[in-house]
Amino acid sequence: MKPTIPKLPLLLKPFFVSLFFSFFLLTFLCLSRSPHHRKPTTGTPSPKKSSAGGESNDLRIRPGYASYETYIQHQLNKTLNPKLRAVWTTRDWERKVRVFSRFFQDLKQRHFLFNESKALSIGARVGQEVAALKLVGVSDSIGIDLVPRPPLVIKGDFHAQPFDNGTFDFEFSNVFDHALYPWKFVGEIERTLKPAGVCVLHVALSRRADKYSANDLFSVKPLVKLFRESELVAVRKVDGFGLDTEVVFRKKKKKSNS
């Protein structure tokens, strides 16, 4: 004899039908909100380094360096080249000292440089710029380079200058294109400059620099962004050994608390 299955009361049938459809609808909604079906959110894109002084359309870092040590060795290949050093210290010496002297004398006339200024030449090679500074009367002058050449040039990496904060009144460089990290290059200038101190850069905008350059600059705009603690005070065309533009920045004075 088959067991009899009790029939549901007529009033309970709508309840169970409703419960079944509610369960089905709830399951469907949960599945539709699972990670595989969720609409991806649009996050804020990573800012380009140009806002902090890195790569941008007008400032491009050259690729090819596996490490910082590789970059340094590449720079030393030029600085330690015996033929180049022989040229720099003999027949090239007087010509470059003469040209740099004219640049610095002009900067004195424009009140960016003074005899009493404490001056630094960044990437000074064998010291022609330092000799020129002393020749025009700026006696308290020194240069830094990866390879020292006393007494005019001491050893120093322009990405990490070996000086205290606020040391110099005036800093000059014509090797910005050799900076692998331009924001560090400029950051060290602003760190070691005194308030109201002046930095003068000679850069190439109309032509590409040599094979030892680590970056290519196409306008002054990236420099303005890089010098966050300074103001741009002058730009002019020059003829400086393949560099065509002189850019002058003055470090802002600290605001008084009063």
Side-chain angles (χ1 to χ4, degrees), residues 75-190:
Q75 298 301 313
L76 287 173
N77 289 342
K78 180 177 182 178
T79 307
L80 290 173
N81 185 304
K83 291 183 179 179
L84 287 176
R85 292 188 76 82
V87 170
W88 292 339
T89 54
T90 54
R91 69 173 185 265
D92 208 33
W93 179 269
E94 288 188 7
R95 180 176 68 95
K96 286 196 172 181
V97 170
R98 184 171 62 252
V99 173
F100 282 125
S101 296
R102 288 203 299 265
F103 286 142
F104 294 138
Q105 191 63 50
D106 180 79
L107 288 166
K108 287 180 67 177
Q109 292 174 358
R110 295 155 67 198
H111 306 292
F112 293 132
L113 178 65
F114 304 90
N115 285 350
E116 60 270 22
S117 296
K118 186 176 180 65
L120 173 67
S121 174
I122 303 165
R125 300 298 187 204
V126 293
Q128 296 106 324
E129 299 100 314
V130 183
L133 283 164
K134 292 179 180 293
L135 187 62
V136 300
V138 187
S139 58
D140 192 0
S141 304
I142 194 67
I144 59 168
D145 205 279
L146 293 173
V147 178
R149 190 172 185 267
L152 300 179
V153 182
I154 65 173
K155 185 175 182 179
D157 182 346
F158 52 54
H159 290 114
Q161 289 188 23
F163 305 110
D164 293 334
N165 297 351
T167 298
F168 298 100
D169 302 292
F170 177 88
E171 298 192 25
F172 171 82
S173 184
N174 60 2
V175 298
F176 175 82
D177 58 294
H178 289 263
L180 182 61
Y181 305 125
W183 55 97
K184 288 186 178 181
F185 179 92
V186 172
E188 283 297 277
I189 291 174
E190 292 193 314

Side-chain angles (χ1 to χ4, degrees), residues 173-232:
S173 184
N174 60 2
V175 298
F176 175 82
D177 58 294
H178 289 263
L180 182 61
Y181 305 125
W183 55 97
K184 288 186 178 181
F185 179 92
V186 172
E188 283 297 277
I189 291 174
E190 292 193 314
R191 181 184 67 81
T192 57
L193 267 181
K194 297 176 182 178
V198 170
C199 171
V200 177
L201 299 181
H202 283 185
V203 296
L205 300 182
S206 62
R207 60 181 291 274
R208 296 306 98 226
D210 63 30
K211 65 180 182 179
Y212 294 98
S213 299
N215 70 73
D216 292 298
L217 183 67
F218 297 91
S219 80
V220 175
K221 291 179 182 178
L223 294 177
V224 175
K225 290 184 178 180
L226 283 163
F227 278 87
R228 292 180 289 177
E229 297 179 21
S230 308
E231 58 181 352
L232 178 66

Side-chain angles (χ1 to χ4, degrees), residues 20-111:
F20 172 77
F21 280 109
S22 296
F23 176 77
F24 177 79
L25 181 61
L26 183 62
T27 302
F28 174 78
L29 290 174
C30 288
L31 287 174
S32 67
R33 293 177 62 85
S34 68
H36 296 290
H37 295 83
R38 193 173 300 151
K39 185 179 180 180
T41 56
T42 304
T44 303
S46 299
K48 289 184 177 181
K49 282 184 179 179
S50 59
S51 61
E55 197 163 6
S56 70
N57 290 334
D58 286 344
L59 175 58
R60 299 173 189 170
I61 308 301
R62 295 187 181 182
Y65 297 110
S67 65
Y68 190 68
E69 289 71 25
T70 304
Y71 156 77
I72 291 294
Q73 186 56 54
H74 185 63
Q75 298 301 313
L76 287 173
N77 289 342
K78 180 177 182 178
T79 307
L80 290 173
N81 185 304
K83 291 183 179 179
L84 287 176
R85 292 188 76 82
V87 170
W88 292 339
T89 54
T90 54
R91 69 173 185 265
D92 208 33
W93 179 269
E94 288 188 7
R95 180 176 68 95
K96 286 196 172 181
V97 170
R98 184 171 62 252
V99 173
F100 282 125
S101 296
R102 288 203 299 265
F103 286 142
F104 294 138
Q105 191 63 50
D106 180 79
L107 288 166
K108 287 180 67 177
Q109 292 174 358
R110 295 155 67 198
H111 306 292

